[in-house]
Amino acid sequence: MPTPLFDQVVVTVCFAPGEDADWFAASEKVNDLLHADGTPARRYHVRHRRLIGWLTRFLGYYLLDAARRFGAVTMAAGGRKGRLDLTGTAAKAAHHAALRWRTWNTHIAATTRPAHPWEDYLAQHDADPTKLRLAEARRRFEQQPRVLAMLAHHLDPYELSVYQAGEATYVGLHWRIALIGNALITTDGRLLIPTSDSVADRFRFLNEACAYLRSLRSSARLCAVAIA
């Protein structure tokens, strides 16, 4: 069964200023708390300051798994918070999410009736698995005209509840996902995750994680880890 909202599982690992923050340390924290192995996920745009950016754009210091374009550092899996362009990362995700929602609104919402989201069918299955098996719940969900239209337009139907909540909600969810991913490990080793798969609980988690990220000093370090 597809997992709504996420193409891959990404964990954001935070390190306090002065703490060892290399790739080994990040993967070790993920393994200790989630019992999973991972690889670096280049999710962050790199920040280039206005005055000295002409020089720093070619330097990979304070960055993890940096990627270059025409010699300049553009993306990284992590690094010092002050070197990561978190605003730019969120803005790009918001832009692409807005384009997807507007495509949905024009070609799907305007031509099909509202549909029941996957969460409704899953709740019925969870209430009585013998009465409504998972495969049948999925079949009923996907036979709805709006869901079929989303599949035809290569839009994820398991995001239906967020699409139907409006553009601001859809965009707001995805720029938060771009910054945080699926889980966040704090500098003191706490694991922040959603309490359930519901969109509401994911919003609560993402809001808490984003607030925590904002509270970190610019000398703190981040690392995005993609796990299987």
Side-chain angles (χ1 to χ4, degrees):
M1 180 62 59
T3 300
L5 307 179
F6 298 110
D7 294 325
Q8 63 176 184
V9 177
V10 175
V11 181
T12 300
V13 183
C14 304
F15 296 90
E19 185 181 0
D20 288 339
D22 56 15
W23 166 242
F24 177 78
S27 60
E28 191 173 49
K29 284 192 176 187
V30 170
N31 189 268
D32 288 344
L33 290 172
L34 297 171
H35 309 291
D37 296 321
T39 57
R42 290 173 177 162
R43 295 168 62 86
Y44 302 112
H45 291 272
V46 176
R47 181 185 180 194
H48 300 297
R49 296 182 183 275
R50 182 171 299 177
L51 296 179
I52 62 173
W54 62 272
L55 176 62
T56 60
R57 71 177 60 249
F58 298 104
L59 303 177
Y61 69 93
Y62 294 140
L63 294 173
L64 293 175
D65 196 44
R68 295 177 181 272
R69 181 178 174 84
F70 303 117
V73 178
T74 56
M75 300 289 293
R80 190 169 179 168
K81 180 183 172 184
R83 281 222 69 191
L84 302 177
D85 185 3
L86 300 182
T87 300
T89 300
K92 184 175 181 180
H95 172 71
H96 288 297
L99 293 178
R100 288 196 302 275
W101 188 89
R102 290 166 190 171
T103 296
W104 176 86
N105 191 49
T106 300
H107 299 289
I108 310 298
T111 59
T112 59
R113 296 189 306 274
H116 294 287
W118 166 243
E119 291 87 346
D120 290 357
Y121 292 91
L122 186 60
Q124 294 177 40
H125 164 73
D126 290 339
D128 191 348
T130 59
K131 184 176 181 180
L132 182 64
R133 299 191 179 278
L134 192 60
E136 175 61 16
R138 182 180 181 183
R139 187 193 68 79
R140 293 184 186 180
F141 168 66
E142 292 185 343
Q143 74 177 1
Q144 299 177 99
R146 175 162 289 188
V147 174
L148 291 173
M150 291 180 71
L151 288 169
H153 283 81
H154 302 285
L155 298 173
D156 186 357
Y158 293 89
E159 291 189 329
L160 177 61
S161 61
V162 195
Y163 275 108
Q164 292 185 156
E167 181 177 0
T169 301
Y170 185 81
V171 170
L173 180 69
H174 279 277
W175 71 251
R176 289 168 172 85
I177 291 174
L179 293 179
I180 304 299
N182 304 66
L184 181 139
I185 299 175
T186 65
T187 58
D188 58 356
R190 291 181 295 119
L191 177 64
L192 304 182
I193 57 173
T195 56
S196 77
D197 284 337
S198 75
V199 176
D201 281 336
R202 293 185 180 192
F203 260 118
R204 292 186 185 97
F205 151 70
L206 288 167
N207 287 338
E208 179 185 4
C210 286
Y212 178 81
L213 206 61
R214 285 194 300 270
S215 73
L216 294 177
R217 296 169 56 185
S218 63
S219 55
R221 302 198 186 189
L222 312 175
C223 182
V225 181
I227 62 177

